[in-house]
Amino acid sequence: MGKTGGRGDFEWVDNDQPHTSRRKEILAKYPEIKSLMGPDPQLKWVVSGMVLTQLLACYLVHDLSWKWIFFWAYAFGGCINHSLILAIHDISHNVAFGNKLAKWNRWFAMWANLPIGLPCSASFKKYHIDHHRYLGGDQLDVDIPTDIEGWFFCTPARKVLWLFLQPFFYAIRPLMVKPKPVGQLEILNAAVQLIVDIMIYYLWGLKPIVYLIAGTILCLGLHPLSGHFIAEHYMFLKGHETYSYYGPLNLITFNVGYHMEHHDFPSIPGSKLPQVKQIAAEYYNSLPQHTSWIRVLWDFVFDDSIGPYARIKREYKLSKEE
């Protein structure tokens, strides 16, 4: 458990991300894929059902003992909150109401944010767009761990700790790598979240608040669903920086496992990404893919060649306007 990981730096490349060229090639061959772009009319109902389920759970857990609060937070509530985080990811691409109603997507993301307990939807949108535009970009893509993370979390025991602390690193990394000014939407997001948290506390006490926030932290950390964080872009095979997973956990994670397809076509809702793979099967079937997020976590911890440093990085030359 004390063996040092094999990588001492990121995998630096001088080529562009593969998604841009593949998108153009696929659309030229299969222009019908454009019909999949646009809002998903079912998303708002699915997300609203999940939010209301968690509000009901707040009432149901308010008299439970603390051990059961944490049990249900990890086994049930956190799973819903993790799924809501991924719904916010989808909504950040305007697939709830479409590009013409962009503000509606931002407000709806705040509604999806409520059971998470902490405000995140507005800031997520602001940084996530850079992850797509500058995938692997040094000092641009805040999805990539910092050098400190890569250097320190290099043994199995430390990598387990890093997995547990993932939600904290995702929260503080943008402030360390590329801080952006706080906008009005972020202030509104925080104000709405605080008001709802206070209302829940007033109605049912502290335990529902702990249930929501603990579930979020636990299930974004060391949890089977969190395998997708590692599976998406960590370099399990040299030269490959994005991977898909087509297993059953996609059913409760808005098809985030179809990650190759998502980066090729970010404006297509998660619910329609399987159709992308079906139409352009020859582009995806031959690419490396994961079959288990739990196996991904296991390999991440015990394979010396995989760790926070196992990411492809590149330099982007930005114009002054950017």
Side-chain angles (χ1 to χ4, degrees):
M1 290 291 286
K3 189 177 180 181
T4 302
R7 295 195 62 91
D9 195 4
F10 299 102
E11 183 80 3
W12 289 89
V13 299
D14 56 9
N15 59 309
D16 194 9
Q17 59 167 295
H19 302 288
T20 305
S21 58
R22 185 164 53 238
R23 180 187 308 120
K24 294 179 180 178
E25 189 175 338
I26 291 176
L27 285 177
K29 188 172 183 179
Y30 300 108
E32 63 268 29
I33 284 181
K34 292 182 180 179
S35 67
L36 301 177
M37 300 175 183
D40 174 4
Q42 300 300 318
L43 183 61
K44 57 182 175 292
W45 304 116
V46 174
V47 169
S48 295
M50 296 166 67
V51 172
L52 294 174
T53 297
Q54 281 291 71
L55 292 177
L56 174 61
C58 286
Y59 166 74
L60 295 175
V61 304
H62 80 282
D63 279 335
L64 293 181
S65 64
W66 283 109
K67 66 178 181 180
W68 288 111
I69 293 290
F70 287 102
F71 172 82
W72 287 114
Y74 187 82
F76 178 75
C79 296
I80 294 180
N81 283 2
H82 194 128
S83 186
L84 284 170
I85 289 282
L86 297 175
I88 290 171
H89 163 259
D90 239 19
I91 297 164
S92 73
H93 293 284
N94 293 338
V95 301
F97 296 97
N99 291 323
K100 293 182 179 180
L101 297 172
K103 287 286 187 179
W104 288 32
N105 290 281
R106 304 291 79 76
W107 298 329
F108 186 65
M110 294 182 197
W111 165 249
N113 196 147
L114 295 182
I116 293 165
L118 301 168
C120 64
S121 64
S123 57
F124 177 86
K125 161 70 176 178
K126 183 168 65 176
Y127 287 99
H128 185 64
I129 192 69
D130 286 345
H131 171 60
H132 278 268
R133 184 179 297 167
Y134 309 117
L135 181 64
D138 184 37
Q139 302 297 308
L140 294 170
D141 183 359
V142 298
D143 185 67
I144 294 179
T146 61
D147 280 299
I148 294 175
E149 292 171 71
W151 167 76
F152 183 78
F153 296 100
C154 58
T155 68
R158 292 179 186 180
K159 286 192 279 188
V160 169
L161 177 61
W162 185 83
L163 290 173
F164 179 77
L165 294 175
Q166 266 196 112
F168 298 101
F169 286 121
Y170 270 97
I172 66 174
R173 194 184 297 140
L175 305 179
M176 298 172 60
V177 175
K178 190 186 178 185
K180 296 184 179 184
V182 176
Q184 291 183 347
L185 279 176
E186 288 165 287
I187 295 173
L188 178 61
N189 186 191
V192 169
Q193 189 66 54
L194 179 61
I195 290 170
V196 171
D197 286 351
I198 291 174
M199 290 174 61
I200 292 174
Y201 176 79
Y202 177 79
L203 289 171
W204 301 308
L206 180 63
K207 288 182 178 179
I209 300 295
V210 173
Y211 162 80
L212 294 177
I213 296 178
T216 298
I217 294 172
L218 292 172
C219 285
L220 290 176
L222 194 57
H223 190 276
L225 290 181
S226 291
H228 77 85
F229 289 124
I230 307 301
E232 290 165 1
H233 296 293
Y234 284 77
M235 194 178 64
F236 283 74
L237 290 176
K238 188 176 178 63
H240 293 274
E241 62 184 312
T242 308
Y243 302 78
S244 284
Y245 156 82
Y246 303 117
L249 291 180
N250 280 301
L251 296 173
I252 57 173
T253 56
F254 295 93
N255 283 330
V256 73
Y258 287 77
H259 216 67
M260 190 77 72
E261 295 82 351
H262 170 64
H263 271 264
D264 287 353
F265 301 100
S267 60
I268 294 180
S271 61
K272 297 179 181 178
L273 290 177
Q275 294 174 249
V276 173
K277 181 179 184 294
Q278 184 178 17
I279 293 171
E282 71 271 24
Y283 286 92
Y284 299 110
N285 288 343
S286 60
L287 294 173
Q289 57 188 252
H290 293 292
T291 57
S292 167
W293 283 341
I294 295 177
R295 178 59 188 267
V296 163
L297 294 174
W298 178 272
D299 289 344
F300 177 83
V301 170
F302 293 107
D303 188 332
D304 284 346
S305 67
I306 306 171
Y309 266 141
R311 292 290 296 263
I312 287 178
K313 289 189 77 171
R314 52 175 60 86
E315 295 278 359
Y316 281 92
K317 295 181 180 179
L318 304 183
S319 64
K320 291 183 178 180
E321 288 76 14
E322 294 177 296

